[in-house]
Amino acid sequence: MAQEAAGRPPEETLSLWKREQARLKALLVDRDTEAWQRDPAFAGLHRVGGVDVSFVKGDSVRACASLVVLSFPELEVVYEESQMVNLTAPYVAGFLAFREVPFLVDLVRRLQEKEPGLMPQVLLVDGNGVLHHRGFGVACHLGVLTELPCVGVAKKLLQVDGLENNALHKEKIRLLQAGGDTFPLTGGSGTVLGMALKSHSRSTKPLYISVGHRISLEVAVRLAQRCCRFRIPEPVRQTADLTAGTQQPMCRMFRSAFSGCSSLCATRPLGGAGNGVCT
């Protein structure tokens, strides 16, 4: 997720964000709501999505928002879309969602309108869920607004509620031996905010999994693990591949596959570039 600062907003804006965050948090569901979540093999789950917002190198305002949908359990890409956006809201710790989520919601809604049969049944979000300063991170915010189950997948530990990347934490990481090994992220309040997951047997760094919306922590961790071919779950890794390097040229590269397209975005549904529509 893009996280560079662009100036602090006025206090009245921060107060508004806090109120809106609290309002949406009241709608958060931190339990399993879908039949596939209650099946040990995730029977009934056919499509998993990943989302990310990444900066153009050297630019703290222009970014590339991406949505990828993969088949499950094959983990093959069936749909992907990226669009260049201008991030008008500044980055403020704890309020990343107000900077990035509107663009991700837009991508999800456009998919719903154009290819409803390819809508993901769950989204893996490059960021945190309830592992957050106020218990409502990007994955929660996006989940509540889209009404989709969401999982927070973070690459670094967000140090909140007494959680620290200290010697004890590093020792717990060292004791993770096999892919799938975990330990709980218990804050000073006694609340389990997420799980550290060794997602791949050859990975030395864990992922930090947390509930986003409409999913339990246990299922979120199992699903993230099932989606891993390497350290990063495929839905998240594929969004990174889609926007790798300098994102604007990448988006232009996809755009060039469509004759007559003039926007810095691309859509590729199942079936190849010829079936895509740029908007």
Side-chain angles (χ1 to χ4, degrees), residues 110-264:
R110 283 162 56 175
L111 170 57
Q112 175 67 58
E113 292 171 1
K114 293 185 295 186
E115 297 282 350
L118 296 179
M119 277 290 289
Q121 294 164 273
V122 59
L123 287 173
L124 274 63
V125 182
D126 184 8
N128 290 294
V130 299
L131 176 54
H132 178 264
H133 307 77
R134 283 170 296 281
F136 197 76
V138 171
C140 301
H141 205 119
L142 180 62
V144 170
L145 291 182
T146 61
E147 300 184 343
L148 288 172
C150 283
V151 177
V153 181
K155 304 177 189 74
K156 296 181 180 179
L157 176 66
L158 183 62
Q159 300 184 67
V160 296
D161 192 18
L163 292 174
E164 295 184 54
N165 189 19
N166 54 20
L168 177 59
H169 184 77
K170 291 174 182 176
E171 176 62 14
K172 289 180 179 180
I173 292 174
R174 190 186 68 79
L175 294 174
L176 298 175
Q177 296 296 311
D181 285 356
T182 63
F183 64 83
L185 301 169
T186 306
S189 64
T191 302
V192 176
L193 300 172
M195 296 286 283
L197 166 69
K198 184 180 179 72
S199 57
H200 193 278
S201 59
R202 292 192 295 273
S203 175
T204 59
K205 297 178 181 180
L207 297 174
Y208 297 99
I209 309 299
S210 55
V211 169
H213 184 51
R214 294 178 59 184
I215 197 167
S216 66
L217 180 57
E218 184 267 333
V219 171
V221 171
R222 284 201 299 113
L223 178 63
Q225 171 69 19
R226 283 286 302 274
C227 288
C228 286
R229 289 175 174 164
F230 306 99
R231 178 191 174 220
I232 308 300
E234 283 299 296
V236 176
R237 195 178 75 86
Q238 290 290 343
T239 62
D241 285 352
L242 185 60
T243 59
T246 49
Q247 285 80 24
Q248 182 177 347
M250 178 63 71
C251 286
R252 281 177 173 163
M253 181 184 73
F254 286 126
R255 180 199 61 173
S256 67
F258 309 99
S259 60
C261 174
S262 60
S263 63
L264 291 175

